[in-house]
Structures are given as structure tokens and as C-alpha cells.
Amino acid sequence: MPILLDGNKVRDQILAELKPRVAAMTRMSRPPRLAVVLAGNDPASEIYVRNKVKACQELGIDSEKHTPPQSVSTNELLELVDSLNSRKDVDGILVQMPLPNQVDSKSILLAVSPDKDVDGFHPFNVGNLVSGNPGPHPCTPSGIMELLRRYQIPIAGRRAVVVGRSDIVGKPMALLLLHAHATVTICHSRTADLAAICRQADILVAAIGKAGLIRGDFIKPGAAVIDVGMNRLQTRAEAEALFASCQEKMAQFDRKGSLLVGDLHPLELDCAGAYTPVPGGVGPLTIAMLMSNTVASAEWRLAAAAG
Ligand code: NDP
């Protein structure tokens, strides 16, 4: 049986390690502070932001939420980001994506001061990632690196395949694995014979956004498979396409009216050596690493102010 890589457990470890660092900073000067910008009323974004604010509260990190309306302009958001950049008590700025259509998202991400960019999306920090310099690095891939490290999954010299080449997951994931001395291949929607390439992977990371696309015959026996995908099956036909043979899953769908699944086919993981479940795998790590980036940013700022 493959080992289940438990994201909730690793998240708890990461947060437990951050707690004394937050307490020490609070004793010596002030708690770290994260400013979250939630523009408009995207329901999924509201949930993500709520979870981020909750994680701050649990750790003793101060947070503040800015909620400009759906009609906000690029200039108004730039002014808000500028004001947060100039505040000495703000250590991290997180602009929740997606922004309303009329906003030029790239110019907003560019405006966030790189030393407050706790998402690691600013080109300055992307450059540091490419060069192998310290973070902040994007939260989801750095959370996956923590998971691999804590489960002692060897990386150096192994073959890693990352499916997906987005700026927030696929590309930074590939770079982090490369810096850890894996031999890395990046796949995408134009990759020919995806299954054959995936089958070479000792570490397979799926960051696609297509429910169950990675089937059992894509997996090399014994490989560590990491599922970043979060896909909600909304119709019975969608659920049947993956789970026709599994009464238990179909009953779950009928009870809940939807099912959350990853990019790996959840019934075809038997030959893997280790795997992350969905939910409970990669998801919890993303917020933990956001907290970690915020604490690191505050420590750096307070040290710079002291010396
Ligand atoms: P994007 O849509 O930005 O990127 C998806 C990537 O998958 C693209 O590079 C695309 O290729 C590739 N792709 C699409 N179809 C195929 C295919 N048939 N074969 C091979 N590659 C394909 O998504 P994100 O990277 O932002 O997110 C990916 C998934 O991870 C989503 O489900 C998202 O919800 C989830 N996610 C989960 C997080 C978590 O905390 N658990 C955090 C962030 C994301 P191409 O470039 O050619 O179009």
C-alpha cells in the first residue's frame, strides 16, 4: 500500500514551529502583520481569504483585510498597495487573485514591494528563485518541498516530472526541484505522450486542474505522486466518468451534491510509493507557507530596524 503524505500533519508541524518565533517577536517588539487585499466578491476568494485570516489569528499574527468593491480601478488599487508598502508595521501584502476584469493584475503584482511579497510572485522574487537565492518563494511549491523533506523522500539524482507550467505552481515547482538536484521535466497541454513521460518520474507533481487526468498507467511503481489539482465535480455525469465502478464514491456524490478531486485518478494510485490525498494533501501546506513567509518577512524587517 502506498504511504499517505498527510498535508494536515505537516501543516500542523510547520505552524507549531512558527508559534515560538511569533511569540518571541511579539515579546521583543510587535507581532508580524499581514495585509490582505480582497477586491470584489468572488466567493472562492472570500473563502481563501477567510482561511488565511483565521490561520493568522491562530498563530498570533496580526492581519487586516482591505475589501475594495468589484468596480475598483487599477489606480485605486495601486494607491492602496502603495500605502501598504510605505507602512512600517506591515510585513506582508497579499493581493488575492483573481482581481476584477478591469484591473491590470500584472501592474498590481509589480507594485507590491518585493520585501513584502509573501506570495513570492514579484519578478524580483521570481529572479531570486531562478538564481537559487532565499525566498519568499511561492507558497504551494515550497509547501510541497517541505512535505517531501519531512517525509524524507529523496530528491537529489531522482527524476521529477511536473505537469503544468503556471507561474504560481508548475514553473516554481520545477525550479525548486531542480535546485534540490532532481532531473526535472516540465509537461503541459502540448506535451506529446504525457503518460510515457510521467512513467519516468520518481517524483510526479500534477498541477493541471483536470479531474483525474493522471491515471494509474502514468505512474512508475513506487513513485511519490503529488496532487496539486482541486477540481469540483458538479454533475453526476462528471462523477460517473471517474467513479462509475465505485459505489461508495457515487453514494458520496449523491449525499453531498458534488465531490472534490485532484488531477490524479484517486482510484488508481495503488502502484505509487507515496501520494497526497485531495483534500488533505497539498492544500493545507499553501497557507502554512504563507504564514512562514510572513514570519520570515517580519523577522527580517525587525532585524533591519534594530541594526
Ligand atoms: P493553470 O490553469 O494556470 O495551469 C494549468 C497547467 O496545466 C497549464 O500549464 C496547462 O498547460 C496544463 N494542462 C492543462 N491541460 C493539460 C493536459 N491535458 N495535459 C497536460 N497539461 C495540461 O493552473 P494552476 O497552476 O494555477 O493550478 C493547477 C491546479 O492546482 C488547479 O486545479 C488549481 O485549483 C490547483 N491549485 C491548488 C492549490 C492548492 O493549494 N492545493 C494552489 C494553487 C492551485 P498550458 O500551459 O499548455 O495551457
Side-chain angles (χ1 to χ4, degrees), residues 112-169:
V112 174
S113 176
D115 64 18
K116 297 189 179 188
D117 167 37
V118 281
D119 264 333
F121 294 161
H122 191 284
F124 180 87
N125 290 321
V126 175
N128 274 330
L129 173 64
V130 172
S131 306
N133 294 334
H137 296 152
C139 300
T140 302
S142 49
I144 293 170
M145 294 305 285
E146 278 296 318
L147 183 84
L148 295 173
R149 189 172 71 76
R150 287 167 195 252
Y151 275 95
Q152 299 180 343
I153 293 185
I155 301 175
R158 313 300 294 283
R159 289 199 76 119
V161 172
V162 179
V163 190
R165 56 175 164 180
S166 71
D167 290 343
I168 61 169
V169 190

Side-chain angles (χ1 to χ4, degrees), residues 18-34:
L18 290 174
K19 237 179 183 165
R21 289 167 60 186
V22 173
M25 258 183 286
T26 306
R27 257 194 327 274
M28 284 184 316
S29 113
R30 60 166 178 81
R33 176 173 280 267
L34 175 68

Side-chain angles (χ1 to χ4, degrees), residues 9-254:
K9 193 170 117 192
V10 171
R11 174 206 51 205
D12 290 348
Q13 287 171 2
I14 295 169
L15 296 183
E17 290 162 15
L18 290 174
K19 237 179 183 165
R21 289 167 60 186
V22 173
M25 258 183 286
T26 306
R27 257 194 327 274
M28 284 184 316
S29 113
R30 60 166 178 81
R33 176 173 280 267
L34 175 68
V36 182
V37 178
L38 171 61
N41 36 31
D42 178 61
S45 295
E46 280 172 16
I47 296 171
Y48 295 146
V49 164
R50 198 181 314 142
N51 290 338
K52 288 166 185 175
V53 168
K54 191 167 154 241
C56 285
Q57 281 164 354
E58 282 165 12
L59 269 185
I61 294 176
D62 284 344
S63 66
E64 58 187 59
K65 197 165 92 175
H66 299 265
T67 53
Q70 185 72 28
S71 58
V72 68
S73 68
T74 301
N75 277 342
E76 286 164 335
L77 270 184
L78 286 174
E79 274 171 31
L80 172 59
V81 169
D82 273 351
S83 73
L84 296 171
N85 281 340
S86 60
R87 275 177 48 194
K88 288 198 171 66
D89 64 329
V90 170
D91 301 299
I93 302 171
L94 182 146
V95 182
Q96 185 65 45
M97 295 290 155
L99 291 170
N101 285 339
Q102 74 279 6
V103 174
D104 175 2
S105 301
K106 279 205 168 149
S107 71
I108 303 298
L109 289 183
L110 208 58
V112 174
S113 176
D115 64 18
K116 297 189 179 188
D117 167 37
V118 281
D119 264 333
F121 294 161
H122 191 284
F124 180 87
N125 290 321
V126 175
N128 274 330
L129 173 64
V130 172
S131 306
N133 294 334
H137 296 152
C139 300
T140 302
S142 49
I144 293 170
M145 294 305 285
E146 278 296 318
L147 183 84
L148 295 173
R149 189 172 71 76
R150 287 167 195 252
Y151 275 95
Q152 299 180 343
I153 293 185
I155 301 175
R158 313 300 294 283
R159 289 199 76 119
V161 172
V162 179
V163 190
R165 56 175 164 180
S166 71
D167 290 343
I168 61 169
V169 190
K171 281 183 206 155
M173 184 75 252
L175 284 163
L176 289 172
L177 288 164
L178 182 66
H179 292 315
H181 311 297
T183 302
V184 183
T185 303
I186 306 177
C187 300
H188 46 76
S189 64
R190 312 279 184 95
T191 296
D193 205 350
L194 182 64
I197 296 174
C198 290
R199 264 196 305 275
Q200 297 175 1
D202 302 303
I203 299 168
L204 175 61
V205 181
I208 310 164
K210 298 255 158 77
L213 182 93
I214 305 291
R215 312 292 302 232
D217 63 343
F218 288 42
I219 299 173
K220 177 178 174 178
V225 291
I226 309 296
D227 198 348
V228 185
M230 303 243 276
N231 312 293
R232 192 157 286 283
L233 306 179
Q234 306 272 19
T235 66
R236 203 158 203 286
E238 283 174 337
E240 266 171 354
L242 285 185
F243 298 125
S245 64
C246 180
Q247 281 182 358
E248 190 191 327
K249 281 280 180 193
M250 288 312 298
Q252 220 178 338
F253 175 84
D254 288 337

